[in-house]
Amino acid sequence: MGNKPSEGYRKHVGKAFDIKTKAFAILSLLTSVAITVFYCVGAIIYRSVWYVALSGYYATMIVFRAATLLANLKCAVKFRGDEAGASLYKWKIFLGSGIFLLVTDIAMSFAIGQLALGGGTKSSIVMAIGTAVYTFYKIIMSAVNAVKAGRFADPVTQALRNLNVAAACMSVVSLTAALCATFGNNVAFNKIMTIAVGGAAILIVLAISIVMTVRAAVNISREKKSIA
């Protein structure tokens, strides 16, 4: 039997992965800016409330991701050499991320409901292709990031990963809406697909946000006890 990896080796691998995850978060910021502009243009051209909601969602994601990265940088500077203090601060960032996902999930549930009950949105082949490219990119990158995260990820890395998963879920809803609007001729089928895919996305993100909030609360309490 081979020897188990040493604790130092695991920390080294974990740190390397954390750096890659945060680099991915910066890349996600840039792609989110692009898709936000894309949906803003769509909202203007088609006068679509749905595209307004999507552009607002991704713009909010941009701001929160940037705030998370800045908070992590502040943590590294403020708690240098204080591992317990840094851990507590990171779990607070994780808690904030969980609450953020819960709030945005509730907001988008209303937007998806309006989309389904309103009979969909206007779209075009360009909107469908652009949405498809972004969706497949988000799904692939989020899946790769989630698989690699494992036990090496710190709370901030896990928060960034979950934010990306939530954005990927919402991108699937936007792709469904774009495809139905562009190629779908059956209004009833389009409504069923929107409700089914949108409902699944909302429930997945809701579950993620609840687990994050509970997990953060437990770990914050534990860290406070260890510091006291």
Side-chain angles (χ1 to χ4, degrees):
M1 294 178 65
N3 295 328
K4 291 184 178 180
S6 66
E7 186 64 25
Y9 173 77
R10 287 206 269 183
K11 284 185 177 181
H12 172 73
V13 174
K15 185 177 181 180
F17 178 74
D18 289 339
I19 292 172
K20 289 180 180 179
T21 300
K22 291 173 179 68
F24 172 62
I26 294 173
L27 178 61
S28 293
L29 274 175
L30 297 176
T31 56
S32 293
V33 170
I35 200 65
T36 300
V37 173
F38 182 71
Y39 285 134
C40 281
V41 173
I44 294 170
I45 293 175
Y46 301 107
R47 297 185 179 182
S48 169
V49 175
W50 171 243
Y51 288 139
V52 170
L54 282 177
S55 58
Y57 174 80
Y58 287 113
T60 306
M61 273 286 186
I62 291 169
V63 173
F64 193 82
R65 273 203 198 98
T68 300
L69 290 169
L70 289 173
N72 186 66
L73 182 61
K74 178 182 177 181
C75 175
V77 174
K78 184 177 181 179
F79 296 99
R80 183 173 297 171
D82 182 3
E83 194 170 322
S87 181
L88 176 61
Y89 192 88
K90 287 183 176 184
W91 279 114
K92 288 181 179 180
I93 295 174
F94 190 83
L95 175 62
S97 299
I99 295 173
F100 170 79
L101 284 182
L102 179 61
V103 173
T104 54
D105 193 50
I106 293 172
M108 288 307 293
S109 68
F110 287 103
I112 293 172
Q114 189 277 332
L115 175 69
L117 298 177
T121 185
K122 292 181 180 179
S123 188
S124 65
I125 293 179
V126 173
M127 293 298 295
I129 292 175
T131 301
V133 170
Y134 178 75
T135 299
F136 290 129
Y137 160 78
K138 287 299 296 182
I139 291 174
I140 292 171
M141 295 305 292
S142 295
V144 169
N145 201 41
V147 170
K148 287 184 176 180
R151 57 189 174 182
F152 292 118
D154 71 1
V156 176
T157 303
Q158 293 177 27
L160 292 170
R161 176 197 62 190
N162 291 343
L163 289 171
N164 288 324
V165 171
C169 288
M170 200 53 60
S171 68
V172 173
V173 180
S174 64
L175 177 59
T176 302
L179 292 176
C180 286
T182 305
F183 304 108
N185 297 317
N186 190 317
V187 176
F189 176 77
N190 292 350
K191 183 176 292 188
I192 291 172
M193 285 298 296
T194 303
I195 293 173
V197 177
I202 291 297
L203 289 176
I204 290 171
V205 178
L206 178 63
I208 291 173
S209 65
I210 291 174
V211 170
M212 287 179 72
T213 303
V214 172
R215 188 180 172 202
V218 170
N219 280 281
I220 287 172
S221 176
R222 185 182 63 188
E223 293 292 344
K224 284 183 176 179
K225 287 180 181 178
S226 67
I227 293 174

